[in-house]
Short mmCIF file of all heavy atoms in Angstrom, two decimals:
data_model
loop_
_atom_site.label_atom_id
_atom_site.label_comp_id
_atom_site.label_asym_id
_atom_site.label_seq_id
_atom_site.Cartn_x
_atom_site.Cartn_y
_atom_site.Cartn_z
N GLN Q 350 7.51 15.04 -28.37
CA GLN Q 350 7.95 15.53 -27.06
C GLN Q 350 8.43 14.40 -26.14
O GLN Q 350 8.79 14.63 -25.00
CB GLN Q 350 6.82 16.29 -26.35
CG GLN Q 350 6.53 17.68 -26.91
CD GLN Q 350 5.85 17.61 -28.27
OE1 GLN Q 350 4.87 16.88 -28.45
NE2 GLN Q 350 6.38 18.33 -29.24
N GLY Q 351 8.39 13.18 -26.65
CA GLY Q 351 8.82 12.05 -25.83
C GLY Q 351 7.73 11.57 -24.87
O GLY Q 351 8.02 10.88 -23.89
N GLU Q 352 6.48 11.94 -25.14
CA GLU Q 352 5.37 11.50 -24.27
C GLU Q 352 4.57 10.40 -24.96
O GLU Q 352 4.41 10.42 -26.18
CB GLU Q 352 4.41 12.68 -24.01
CG GLU Q 352 5.05 13.82 -23.27
CD GLU Q 352 4.38 15.15 -23.63
OE1 GLU Q 352 3.50 15.18 -24.51
OE2 GLU Q 352 4.78 16.16 -23.03
N PHE Q 353 4.02 9.50 -24.15
CA PHE Q 353 3.17 8.46 -24.71
C PHE Q 353 1.88 9.06 -25.25
O PHE Q 353 1.27 9.92 -24.60
CB PHE Q 353 2.88 7.37 -23.68
CG PHE Q 353 4.01 6.41 -23.53
CD1 PHE Q 353 5.05 6.67 -22.65
CD2 PHE Q 353 4.06 5.26 -24.29
CE1 PHE Q 353 6.12 5.80 -22.54
CE2 PHE Q 353 5.12 4.37 -24.19
CZ PHE Q 353 6.15 4.64 -23.31
N ILE Q 354 1.47 8.61 -26.42
CA ILE Q 354 0.26 9.13 -27.06
C ILE Q 354 -0.97 8.54 -26.34
O ILE Q 354 -1.87 9.27 -25.94
CB ILE Q 354 0.26 8.80 -28.56
CG1 ILE Q 354 1.47 9.50 -29.21
CG2 ILE Q 354 -1.06 9.20 -29.22
CD1 ILE Q 354 1.87 8.96 -30.57
N ASP Q 355 -0.99 7.22 -26.16
CA ASP Q 355 -1.98 6.56 -25.30
C ASP Q 355 -1.19 5.82 -24.23
O ASP Q 355 -0.13 5.28 -24.53
CB ASP Q 355 -2.78 5.51 -26.09
CG ASP Q 355 -3.74 6.14 -27.06
OD1 ASP Q 355 -4.43 7.10 -26.66
OD2 ASP Q 355 -3.78 5.69 -28.22
N TRP Q 356 -1.75 5.74 -23.05
CA TRP Q 356 -1.04 4.99 -22.01
C TRP Q 356 -1.98 3.98 -21.40
O TRP Q 356 -3.05 4.37 -20.95
CB TRP Q 356 -0.49 5.94 -20.93
CG TRP Q 356 0.20 5.16 -19.87
CD1 TRP Q 356 -0.23 4.92 -18.59
CD2 TRP Q 356 1.46 4.48 -20.00
NE1 TRP Q 356 0.67 4.12 -17.93
CE2 TRP Q 356 1.72 3.84 -18.78
CE3 TRP Q 356 2.37 4.33 -21.06
CZ2 TRP Q 356 2.86 3.07 -18.56
CZ3 TRP Q 356 3.51 3.56 -20.83
CH2 TRP Q 356 3.74 2.95 -19.59
N PRO Q 357 -1.60 2.71 -21.38
CA PRO Q 357 -0.45 2.14 -22.08
C PRO Q 357 -0.81 1.83 -23.53
O PRO Q 357 -1.98 1.59 -23.83
CB PRO Q 357 -0.21 0.82 -21.32
CG PRO Q 357 -1.57 0.44 -20.81
CD PRO Q 357 -2.32 1.71 -20.56
N PRO Q 358 0.16 1.84 -24.45
CA PRO Q 358 -0.13 1.47 -25.84
C PRO Q 358 -0.58 0.00 -25.92
O PRO Q 358 -0.25 -0.79 -25.03
CB PRO Q 358 1.21 1.63 -26.55
CG PRO Q 358 2.09 2.40 -25.64
CD PRO Q 358 1.59 2.16 -24.25
N ALA Q 359 -1.32 -0.33 -26.95
CA ALA Q 359 -1.72 -1.73 -27.19
C ALA Q 359 -0.47 -2.61 -27.24
O ALA Q 359 0.61 -2.16 -27.66
CB ALA Q 359 -2.48 -1.83 -28.51
N ASN Q 360 -0.59 -3.83 -26.76
CA ASN Q 360 0.50 -4.82 -26.79
C ASN Q 360 1.68 -4.47 -25.89
O ASN Q 360 2.81 -4.88 -26.14
CB ASN Q 360 0.99 -5.09 -28.22
CG ASN Q 360 -0.15 -5.39 -29.17
OD1 ASN Q 360 -1.06 -6.14 -28.83
ND2 ASN Q 360 -0.13 -4.79 -30.35
N THR Q 361 1.40 -3.65 -24.86
CA THR Q 361 2.44 -3.35 -23.86
C THR Q 361 1.82 -3.56 -22.47
O THR Q 361 0.73 -4.11 -22.36
CB THR Q 361 2.96 -1.91 -23.99
OG1 THR Q 361 1.97 -1.00 -23.50
CG2 THR Q 361 3.33 -1.55 -25.42
N ILE Q 362 2.53 -3.11 -21.46
CA ILE Q 362 1.99 -3.22 -20.10
C ILE Q 362 1.94 -1.86 -19.41
O ILE Q 362 2.59 -0.90 -19.86
CB ILE Q 362 2.86 -4.13 -19.19
CG1 ILE Q 362 4.31 -3.63 -19.15
CG2 ILE Q 362 2.78 -5.57 -19.62
CD1 ILE Q 362 5.14 -4.19 -18.01
N ALA Q 363 1.20 -1.80 -18.32
CA ALA Q 363 1.32 -0.72 -17.34
C ALA Q 363 1.27 -1.39 -15.98
O ALA Q 363 0.70 -2.47 -15.83
CB ALA Q 363 0.19 0.28 -17.48
N HIS Q 364 1.90 -0.78 -15.00
CA HIS Q 364 1.78 -1.28 -13.63
C HIS Q 364 0.64 -0.55 -12.93
O HIS Q 364 0.21 0.51 -13.38
CB HIS Q 364 3.11 -1.10 -12.89
CG HIS Q 364 4.18 -2.00 -13.42
ND1 HIS Q 364 5.07 -1.61 -14.39
CD2 HIS Q 364 4.47 -3.29 -13.14
CE1 HIS Q 364 5.87 -2.62 -14.69
NE2 HIS Q 364 5.53 -3.65 -13.94
N TRP Q 365 0.18 -1.11 -11.84
CA TRP Q 365 -0.92 -0.48 -11.11
C TRP Q 365 -0.71 -0.64 -9.61
O TRP Q 365 0.08 -1.49 -9.17
CB TRP Q 365 -2.27 -1.06 -11.55
CG TRP Q 365 -2.41 -2.54 -11.42
CD1 TRP Q 365 -2.07 -3.48 -12.35
CD2 TRP Q 365 -2.92 -3.27 -10.30
NE1 TRP Q 365 -2.34 -4.74 -11.89
CE2 TRP Q 365 -2.87 -4.65 -10.62
CE3 TRP Q 365 -3.44 -2.90 -9.05
CZ2 TRP Q 365 -3.29 -5.65 -9.75
CZ3 TRP Q 365 -3.87 -3.89 -8.18
CH2 TRP Q 365 -3.80 -5.24 -8.54
N ALA Q 366 -1.39 0.19 -8.86
CA ALA Q 366 -1.25 0.16 -7.40
C ALA Q 366 -2.59 0.51 -6.78
O ALA Q 366 -3.43 1.16 -7.39
CB ALA Q 366 -0.19 1.16 -6.96
N ALA Q 367 -2.78 0.03 -5.56
CA ALA Q 367 -4.01 0.36 -4.82
C ALA Q 367 -3.74 0.18 -3.34
O ALA Q 367 -2.80 -0.52 -2.95
CB ALA Q 367 -5.16 -0.56 -5.25
N LEU Q 368 -4.55 0.84 -2.55
CA LEU Q 368 -4.47 0.69 -1.11
C LEU Q 368 -5.85 0.26 -0.64
O LEU Q 368 -6.81 1.02 -0.75
CB LEU Q 368 -4.09 2.05 -0.49
CG LEU Q 368 -3.59 2.04 0.93
CD1 LEU Q 368 -2.33 1.21 1.06
CD2 LEU Q 368 -3.33 3.47 1.38
N ILE Q 369 -5.97 -0.96 -0.16
CA ILE Q 369 -7.28 -1.46 0.28
C ILE Q 369 -7.50 -1.04 1.73
O ILE Q 369 -6.67 -1.34 2.59
CB ILE Q 369 -7.35 -2.99 0.19
CG1 ILE Q 369 -6.92 -3.47 -1.20
CG2 ILE Q 369 -8.75 -3.49 0.52
CD1 ILE Q 369 -7.01 -4.97 -1.37
N PRO Q 370 -8.59 -0.34 2.00
CA PRO Q 370 -8.87 0.07 3.38
C PRO Q 370 -8.92 -1.15 4.30
O PRO Q 370 -9.42 -2.21 3.91
CB PRO Q 370 -10.25 0.73 3.29
CG PRO Q 370 -10.44 1.05 1.85
CD PRO Q 370 -9.65 0.06 1.07
N ALA Q 371 -8.39 -0.97 5.52
CA ALA Q 371 -8.22 -2.09 6.47
C ALA Q 371 -9.48 -2.95 6.60
O ALA Q 371 -10.53 -2.47 7.00
CB ALA Q 371 -7.84 -1.51 7.83
#
Side-chain angles (χ1 to χ4, degrees):
Q350 285 72 49
E352 298 151 355
F353 280 87
I354 297 162
D355 289 314
W356 179 253
N360 310 317
T361 73
I362 56 163
H364 291 93
W365 57 272
L368 197 60
I369 308 182

